[in-house]
């Protein structure tokens, strides 16, 4: 007689899953025990946590400085390019820039470009305060903060209380950082 013993794939998968789960739980128990009883292990965990927090903070500061430099560069470039002066050209330019800004603000990686488009539209709009109120209600906060930095850097747009509407911080904070 020939006895063949076959194991179903489901049984193998279940046994593997059980072994992995047991291993994970054993490691979790070991880690918890080490954390509770070994002072040196706790010190190392705290040290590593502080190191990660410091590195994260430094990266965020560097990214903020890079973004500020980029904002200044694009505003300066836009000022050098100039803005239309004819009423019809202004209107067309405004519509084009607002349309481009709306598309670009959908992607977080293009927020500075979107803000630049909205900033350019703001430069040619006859009543910038009214347009800022509209931006306050329609533009994402991150993009609005970048626009505020651009306006603060430019200084030639007559606005009062930038960013004080419903969609932003109360008190009219611009989000701009002085140097």
């Amino acid at each position: 007689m020939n006895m063949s013993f076959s194991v179903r794939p489901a049984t193998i998968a279940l046994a593997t899953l059980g072994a992995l789960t047991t291993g994970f739980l054993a490691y979790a128990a070991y880690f918890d025990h080490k954390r509770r009883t070994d002072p040196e292990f706790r010190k190392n965990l705290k040290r590593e946590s502080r190191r990660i927090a410091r590195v994260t903070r430094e990266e965020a500061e560097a990214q903020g400085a890079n973004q500020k430099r980029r904002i200044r560069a694009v505003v300066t470039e836009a000022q050098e390019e100039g803005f239309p002066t004819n009423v019809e050209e202004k209107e067309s330019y405004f519509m084009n820039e607002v349309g481009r800004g709306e598309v670009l603000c959908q992607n977080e990686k293009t927020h500075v470009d979107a803000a630049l488009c909205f900033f350019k539209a703001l430069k040619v709009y006859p009543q910038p305060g009214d347009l800022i109120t509209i931006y306050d209600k329609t533009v994402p906060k991150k993009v609005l903060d970048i626009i505020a930095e651009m306006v603060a850097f430019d200084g030639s747009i007559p606005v009062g209380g930038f960013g004080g509407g419903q969609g932003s911080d109360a008190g009219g904070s611009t989000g701009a950082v002085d140097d």
Side-chain angles (χ1 to χ4, degrees):
M1 278 199 216
N2 188 5
M3 292 180 81
S4 79
F5 183 68
S6 68
V7 180
R8 294 187 311 176
T11 305
I12 294 172
L14 192 57
T16 302
L17 181 63
L20 289 173
T21 303
T22 302
F24 176 75
L25 291 174
Y27 178 74
Y30 165 78
F31 182 85
D32 186 54
H33 174 72
K34 248 338 212 181
R35 182 183 59 83
R36 289 175 186 234
T37 60
D38 188 353
E40 191 61 33
F41 188 75
R42 281 194 304 269
K43 284 181 188 176
N44 287 338
L45 283 175
K46 284 182 182 178
R47 194 174 300 132
E48 183 66 18
S49 175
R50 284 192 301 263
R51 185 189 68 79
I52 290 171
R54 179 180 45 81
V55 167
T56 303
R57 184 180 61 250
E58 288 171 356
E59 287 175 355
E61 289 171 358
Q63 185 178 10
N66 287 339
Q67 180 171 331
K68 185 177 275 193
R69 276 192 294 277
R70 181 158 183 245
I71 287 170
R72 289 176 182 218
V74 297
V75 168
T76 302
E77 184 180 320
Q79 289 169 335
E80 289 171 358
E81 288 175 5
F83 300 95
T85 54
N86 181 323
V87 175
E88 289 86 23
E89 289 174 356
K90 280 184 176 183
E91 190 175 311
S92 173
Y93 185 80
F94 172 81
M95 294 304 290
N96 183 41
E97 292 301 323
V98 168
R100 285 183 52 220
E102 288 175 350
V103 171
L104 290 171
C105 75
Q106 302 302 318
N107 183 353
E108 196 166 317
K109 293 181 180 185
T110 57
H111 276 178
V112 173
D113 297 325
L116 179 63
C117 291
F118 289 125
F119 172 77
K120 288 178 175 180
L122 187 63
K123 288 286 284 186
V124 298
Y125 198 73
Q127 296 183 343
D130 293 345
L131 185 57
I132 288 173
T133 303
I134 294 168
Y135 284 171
D136 227 6
K137 295 174 184 170
T138 59
V139 175
K141 175 128 175 58
K142 288 181 179 181
V143 176
L144 191 63
D145 290 343
I146 296 169
I147 296 169
E149 285 188 48
M150 290 176 170
V151 169
F153 178 70
D154 179 57
S156 69
I157 299 175
V159 294
F162 187 91
Q166 289 179 332
S168 66
D169 297 334
S173 172
T174 64
V177 179
D178 293 334
D179 278 336

